[in-house]
Amino acid sequence: MKYSISIVAVIILLILGCGKKNTSPDSKNIVKSEKESRVEYLPFFKDPSFTPHWLVPKSKEVAEFHKIPDFTLINQNGDTLTQKSFDGKIYITDFFFTTCPGICPKMTDNMSILQKEFIDDQDILLLSHSVTPGIDSVSVLKEYASYRDIQDDKWHLVTGKREEIYSLGRNYYFVEEDLGVEKDTNDFLHTENFLLIDKNKHIRGIYNGLNKTSINQLIADVKTLKKEG
């Protein structure tokens, strides 16, 4: 009988112990750290596999790492944009089209969240490439921007040559996930991915533009990236 009472007592103590929250300073710091950012600095990416390369920011190795090349595109105001338009800026980019009935409206909703989050931060810009530039003219993009409350000085919707846009998306941003599949401009470019680009034109993150948790992580990663200066 004594053994039975002892076993019951131990079980009760275990239940009570499991019900207590860990309120130690260490546990609080861990939760806070994960909420703000996963890492001290972000990795770099250079190919469609998105294998992270943990390089030291501003090192010689980084200077020679994969970068987004120059481009010439036209935004919703009819202004010509090049990489110089993004000098000294962090930017978030995606690929969409105005008549898309599927994933694009949700992507635009989530890009709007980013616009609101960074509306007063002059270091952050948004860049959305039309994958149907033959349809999405400057006037069409302007109307779409007005309808979606897009701020012209924060978020650029761009059109241009289909070949250039598709080459940027597939060969430099690596936005599609069809590894090893050869494609040309006749193969439609359609993806939900958002890319985070640093001030030196390096890819620093890829995110699911349909997923709110991924968008929250993107916001946290932008804040981490800003600390690099």
Side-chain angles (χ1 to χ4, degrees):
M1 179 66 70
K2 291 182 179 179
Y3 290 118
S4 300
I5 294 173
S6 298
I7 292 172
V8 171
V10 169
I11 292 173
I12 291 172
L13 289 172
L14 286 172
I15 291 172
L16 291 174
C18 291
K20 292 181 180 180
K21 294 182 179 179
N22 185 351
T23 56
S24 67
D26 288 343
S27 67
K28 289 181 179 179
N29 289 338
I30 291 172
V31 172
K32 182 178 180 181
S33 176
E34 289 178 350
K35 183 177 179 181
E36 291 180 349
S37 181
R38 299 167 295 180
V39 291
E40 183 179 352
Y41 58 84
L42 304 179
F44 295 77
F45 302 93
K46 68 174 184 178
D47 58 48
S49 71
F50 276 90
T51 301
H53 294 262
W54 297 96
L55 309 178
V56 177
K58 300 181 181 179
S59 66
K60 181 179 179 181
E61 192 174 7
V62 166
E64 299 171 352
F65 207 73
H66 173 80
K67 294 183 180 183
I68 306 303
D70 198 11
F71 50 75
T72 302
L73 300 168
I74 309 296
N75 73 3
Q76 67 265 35
N77 293 325
D79 298 328
T80 299
L81 297 186
T82 67
Q83 275 288 26
K84 290 184 179 180
S85 308
F86 296 86
D87 280 351
K89 307 293 184 183
I90 294 168
Y91 70 95
I92 301 158
T93 190
D94 72 341
F95 291 75
F96 84 116
F97 58 109
T98 61
T99 56
C100 170
I103 63 174
C104 297
K106 181 63 175 178
M107 290 168 63
T108 302
D109 287 343
N110 285 336
M111 195 66 88
S112 294
I113 291 174
L114 299 174
Q115 175 179 252
K116 182 178 180 181
E117 176 71 25
F118 299 111
I119 193 65
D120 295 322
D121 192 332
Q122 296 183 357
D123 288 337
I124 313 299
L125 294 176
L126 310 178
L127 175 62
S128 294
H129 304 75
S130 170
V131 295
T132 58
I135 297 172
D136 290 335
S137 62
V138 169
S139 60
V140 170
L141 292 178
K142 185 66 175 177
E143 183 178 354
Y144 185 82
S146 177
Y147 173 70
R148 297 303 302 242
D149 294 324
I150 289 171
Q151 303 298 309
D152 292 342
D153 60 344
K154 174 61 63 176
W155 184 355
H156 298 283
L157 310 179
V158 293
T159 187
K161 295 180 180 178
R162 182 183 176 100
E163 293 79 6
E164 181 175 16
I165 291 171
Y166 276 52
S167 178
L168 283 168
R170 288 184 172 137
N171 302 324
Y172 297 100
Y173 289 115
F174 313 120
V175 291
E176 288 182 319
E177 297 175 325
D178 300 327
L179 290 176
V181 178
E182 293 292 332
K183 295 184 178 182
D184 60 28
T185 55
N186 294 316
D187 297 303
F188 193 57
L189 173 60
H190 202 31
T191 174
E192 73 276 15
N193 292 326
F194 287 5
L195 278 295
L196 175 60
I197 312 301
D198 70 17
K199 293 181 179 181
N200 296 307
K201 324 306 181 191
H202 298 114
I203 300 172
R204 304 300 295 275
I206 182 170
Y207 310 84
N208 187 325
L210 303 176
N211 185 287
K212 285 291 178 63
T213 299
S214 189
I215 297 304
N216 288 335
Q217 186 60 60
L218 172 52
I219 291 171
D221 286 352
V222 169
K223 294 176 181 178
T224 297
L225 190 54
K226 281 179 64 68
K227 294 176 182 178
E228 289 184 13

